[in-house]
């Protein structure tokens, strides 16, 4: 293996990083989950480097979904320094989502 290659980061490495992470738990068959994609794209362009956003398919990663008690999807979880600081199931509109995230990051 070439030393310049970097292996993909694990979920734990990502959520324990310096940048807060919003995780979107979804499934391909879930219609409300599809509604979150443009909302998350707007959020990323609004917040830029202050927030990482990743999507986790609950069907392909059931162990992670079980660990964080994801029972309904879409399910959003906000991590800061590896700590879960906010979680909500269901579609959240962009202005409300940005407000919640900024508020939670200020408090933690």
């Amino acid at each position: 293996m070439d030393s310049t290659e970097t292996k993909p980061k694990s979920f734990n490495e990502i959520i324990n990083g310096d940048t807060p992470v919003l995780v979107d738990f979804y499934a391909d068959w879930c219609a409300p989950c599809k509604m979150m994609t443009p909302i998350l794209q707007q959020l990323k362009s609004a917040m830029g480097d202050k927030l990482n956003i990743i999507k986790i398919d609950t069907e392909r990663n059931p162990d992670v979904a079980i660990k964080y008690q994801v029972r309904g999807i879409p399910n959003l979880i906000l991590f800061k320094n590896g700590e879960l600081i906010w979680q909500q199931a269901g579609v959240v509109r962009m202005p409300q989502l940005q407000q919640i995230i900024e508020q939670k990051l200020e408090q933690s």
Side-chain angles (χ1 to χ4, degrees):
M1 184 167 119
D2 191 288
S3 61
T4 57
E5 282 182 46
T6 55
K7 70 180 184 85
K9 288 187 174 181
S10 73
F11 181 75
N12 284 338
E13 286 176 306
I14 293 168
I15 66 169
N16 282 296
D18 295 335
T19 306
V21 179
L22 179 68
V23 182
D24 173 27
F25 286 91
Y26 77 100
D28 289 333
W29 50 262
C30 166
C33 297
K34 291 180 172 73
M35 293 169 62
M36 284 308 302
T37 302
I39 293 168
L40 294 174
Q41 288 168 342
Q42 290 173 354
L43 180 67
K44 182 61 182 169
S45 54
M47 296 196 68
D49 294 337
K50 291 188 284 185
L51 181 72
N52 286 331
I53 301 173
I54 63 171
K55 293 174 76 67
I56 302 244
D57 185 333
T58 55
E59 308 242 305
R60 290 196 189 108
N61 302 281
D63 50 334
V64 179
I66 291 165
K67 180 178 181 181
Y68 293 103
Q69 300 177 358
V70 173
R71 293 189 178 92
I73 51 175
N75 197 309
L76 301 170
I77 301 181
L78 182 63
F79 291 94
K80 185 176 182 185
N81 301 319
E83 188 181 330
L84 190 159
I85 59 173
W86 175 75
Q87 180 170 5
Q88 182 172 323
V91 175
V92 183
R93 301 266 171 243
M94 164 49 194
Q96 182 189 3
L97 184 57
Q98 185 175 357
Q99 184 180 10
I100 291 168
I101 289 171
E102 288 175 346
Q103 190 177 18
K104 294 294 176 188
L105 293 177
E106 281 173 24
Q107 291 170 356
S108 60

